[in-house]
Amino acid sequence: MSRGSPFNTTQNIFTDRDVFDVEGFQPIELIEREEQINEYASALEPVLNGWKPNNIFIYGKTGTGKTATTQYMIDWLQKDVEEHNEANEEKIALSIIQLNCEALTSSYQIAIELLNELRDTQNQVATRGHAPSDIYNWLFEELETIGGAVLIVLDEIDNVGEDDTVLYKLARPEVEEANIGVIGISNDFSFRDDLSAKVKDSLCEKEILFPAYESAELREILFQRAERGLREDAYEDGAIALSAAYAAQDKGSARQAIDILREAGDIAAREEAETLTEEFVEAAKGIVERGRISEMIGGLSPHGKYALHALAIAEREDDTPIRTKDLYEIYGIVCNEHATDPLSNRALRDHMSEIDLIGLATVNKQNAGRAGGKYKQYQMDVNADRVIDAFAQTDAVDVSVDPVR
DNA sequence: AATCCACAGGAAAGTATGGACA
DNA sequence: TGTCCATACTTTCCTGTGGATT
């Protein structure tokens, strides 16, 4: 992947750096997920007989192979259908619709996105302004015309929120000609329990759990990639083991493990080192961690950022754990620095629980009894200085409350 | 065992946004 | 243009509650 740069450094370490592209690279052979593949296969098999596939729900944290396995299964299914159609008179019609619901926060939006996916570009539907029942009717009309087996893959489905109407509609479609199977992918374990009862029954016919990887499993995955993407003698086994260990310790995410190893390779290449050693992994870990923090911060609303910044400041001043009331004051100062009016106390509580949810802070419930009452205390879950650094980079305005300047 | 505080967090309603349609 | 359909993010109002103190 040369960009016409005069530097040729990445050649020392990588033979194929794309192997470490977590988004784009699909390994030919999936390892450490045999069990899930078998369950998956049995749920999809009906398609090959022209029947309706099972609805499947997939659970697992980020980087546990949910999406990769799904992609693998779809490729497998399509190939088998093709083979079947070549060999038999009776053809199987199979359509697959994949949709990432990351940015889709309601049933309504998902339904519209699905509809637009099915319609051609001249016939697209606006994302607002239509009656929900119209949308669903149109959606079923489209599905009716397609016919055959239709697999609808909804990635990051937990974003739907409270209202799971789409799922209900898709689980019991008012369609004659098509056999619809829904594959829902979620990284939120509690999502299943929050589904309404009628959806739960019909949609969770088959549930497959993707547990976090253990250190040894991550090691295997990394070795597989290293064999394909790194120069044969360019890496120490210890470096791979360490990358795996760090990732296992944190989240058990293959994505993270691969990110760390790739970053380590980049550093090694930049320093024109001959081999990828443990020191490079050490350095890469910090960089990947920092990247993760900025990513999380990036997803916060402005006031969420101010709230987090306030907490980081409190942490630096050794004022943590800090109760909401006191945090509200610091938050007020931060808002002031940004020439923004602070929101209400209640709004701050909401922002803080959001910050807790994405894992940037930890909550600590306290009860001081008769005179003291009940309250919460917050504490940073990541390095406060790193957070403040990240703010310094993202924001043009300097919001430091440090009196020494 | 009864009390009572300081919040947490649910519910409802408000503000501002934007599209479709008659 | 007014009415309907949404969204995101608020504020206001309120009820619930755990456990040290009485």
Side-chain angles (χ1 to χ4, degrees):
Chain A
M1 245 206 358
S2 153
R3 280 148 290 157
S5 140
F7 303 106
N8 193 27
T9 49
T10 54
Q11 297 302 324
N12 317 340
I13 299 286
F14 294 106
T15 54
D16 183 1
R17 194 175 171 282
D18 292 347
V19 169
F20 295 90
D21 173 9
V22 179
E23 303 286 332
F25 181 76
Q26 174 80 19
I28 298 167
E29 192 195 357
L30 274 183
I31 54 178
E32 307 296 342
R33 282 300 182 228
E34 289 82 8
E35 208 179 296
Q36 282 78 13
I37 289 174
N38 287 339
E39 287 193 52
Y40 225 135
S42 72
L44 291 178
E45 228 160 44
V47 172
L48 296 173
N49 297 317
W51 300 329
K52 183 196 167 309
N54 288 301
N55 293 322
I56 308 169
F57 247 77
I58 311 277
Y59 300 93
K61 294 263 167 68
T62 40
T64 50
K66 303 184 298 294
T67 311
T69 307
T70 301
Q71 201 55 54
Y72 177 81
M73 295 311 295
I74 286 173
D75 293 346
W76 167 82
L77 190 63
Q78 277 175 328
K79 216 177 79 217
D80 273 27
V81 166
E82 250 168 60
E83 277 171 20
H84 171 100
N85 288 350
E86 275 168 29
N88 291 279
E89 271 302 303
E90 271 186 44
K91 308 292 180 201
I92 296 171
L94 171 67
S95 322
I96 291 169
I97 308 161
Q98 283 177 274
L99 191 62
N100 191 312
C101 307
E102 192 183 3
L104 277 23
T105 54
S106 71
S107 275
Y108 185 80
Q109 286 178 357
I110 292 175
I112 285 180
E113 204 57 41
L114 271 177
L115 181 57
N116 280 338
E117 198 81 8
L118 291 169
R119 288 192 168 179
D120 50 38
T121 33
Q122 291 96 42
N123 256 333
Q124 298 282 297
V125 165
T127 52
R128 288 184 231 185
H130 291 288
S133 57
D134 287 349
I135 299 291
Y136 290 117
N137 287 336
W138 294 336
L139 186 56
F140 288 140
E141 274 170 31
E142 293 296 331
L143 288 169
E144 197 85 65
T145 7
I146 295 178
V150 183
L151 267 186
I152 300 175
V153 182
L154 300 171
D155 206 345
E156 303 193 40
I157 186 69
D158 38 320
N159 284 319
V160 227
E162 304 283 284
D163 177 20
D164 49 20
T165 317
V166 228
L167 299 178
Y168 179 67
K169 292 275 185 185
L170 289 176
R172 299 168 194 211
E174 298 146 25
V175 176
E176 309 264 303
E177 298 296 323
N179 288 322
I180 297 171
V182 181
I183 300 177
I185 304 177
S186 163
N187 46 35
D188 180 0
F189 292 108
S190 61
F191 177 69
R192 195 201 102 98
D193 301 328
D194 294 341
L195 286 173
S196 59
K198 48 185 182 178
V199 172
K200 214 184 292 178
D201 294 345
S202 44
L203 216 49
C204 306
E205 289 174 349
K206 185 91 185 180
E207 293 178 56
I208 307 175
L209 184 71
F210 283 69
Y213 289 111
E214 312 252 325
S215 181
E217 294 169 328
L218 287 175
R219 221 177 302 144
E220 287 307 311
I221 292 171
L222 286 184
F223 273 122
Q224 183 205 32
R225 301 252 177 164
E227 266 168 35
R228 302 202 42 195
L230 296 180
R231 189 165 46 79
E232 202 179 323
D233 53 348
Y235 59 96
E236 289 179 355
D237 288 2
I240 297 216
L242 189 62
S243 306
Y246 277 147
Q249 201 179 65
D250 187 9
K251 292 257 168 69
S253 148
R255 159 186 302 241
Q256 199 181 1
I258 292 166
D259 280 345
I260 291 176
L261 192 60
R262 187 196 53 237
E263 193 62 47
D266 283 343
I267 298 171
R270 216 174 302 133
E271 301 199 354
E272 296 182 11
E274 278 298 304
T275 47
L276 201 171
T277 60
E278 290 183 22
E279 289 96 276
F280 294 124
V281 173
E282 203 83 47
K285 185 204 173 203
I287 291 175
V288 169
E289 164 89 357
R290 214 163 302 153
R292 221 186 83 220
I293 291 176
S294 344
E295 204 175 293
M296 285 194 276
I297 291 176
L300 253 34
S301 64
H303 280 283
K305 289 181 187 173
Y306 304 154
L308 181 66
H309 198 155
L311 182 62
I313 290 168
E315 179 104 357
R316 204 178 48 184
E317 313 258 309
D318 267 344
D319 275 343
T320 49
I322 187 169
R323 57 198 291 178
T324 319
K325 191 176 66 173
D326 301 328
L327 184 66
Y328 188 61
E329 282 176 28
I330 305 179
Y331 159 77
I333 298 170
V334 174
C335 283
N336 229 326
E337 298 266 336
H338 278 93
T340 315
D341 290 332
L343 301 176
S344 69
N345 196 306
R346 180 71 185 83
L348 178 67
R349 287 208 291 271
D350 278 340
H351 283 297
M352 287 316 291
S353 61
E354 166 78 17
I355 287 169
D356 169 40
L357 204 74
I358 60 176
L360 283 167
T362 317
V363 199
N364 188 347
K365 286 178 186 166
Q366 296 284 310
N367 190 334
R370 189 174 170 130
K374 249 169 73 156
Y375 57 91
K376 276 185 166 182
Q377 286 184 318
Y378 294 95
Q379 201 170 349
M380 295 291 304
D381 217 18
V382 290
N383 186 297
D385 289 324
R386 266 185 200 161
V387 169
I388 291 175
D389 278 355
F391 278 122
Q393 280 172 23
T394 17
D395 294 356
V397 203
D398 176 27
V399 286
S400 170
V401 183
D402 203 335
V404 194
R405 190 132 0 144

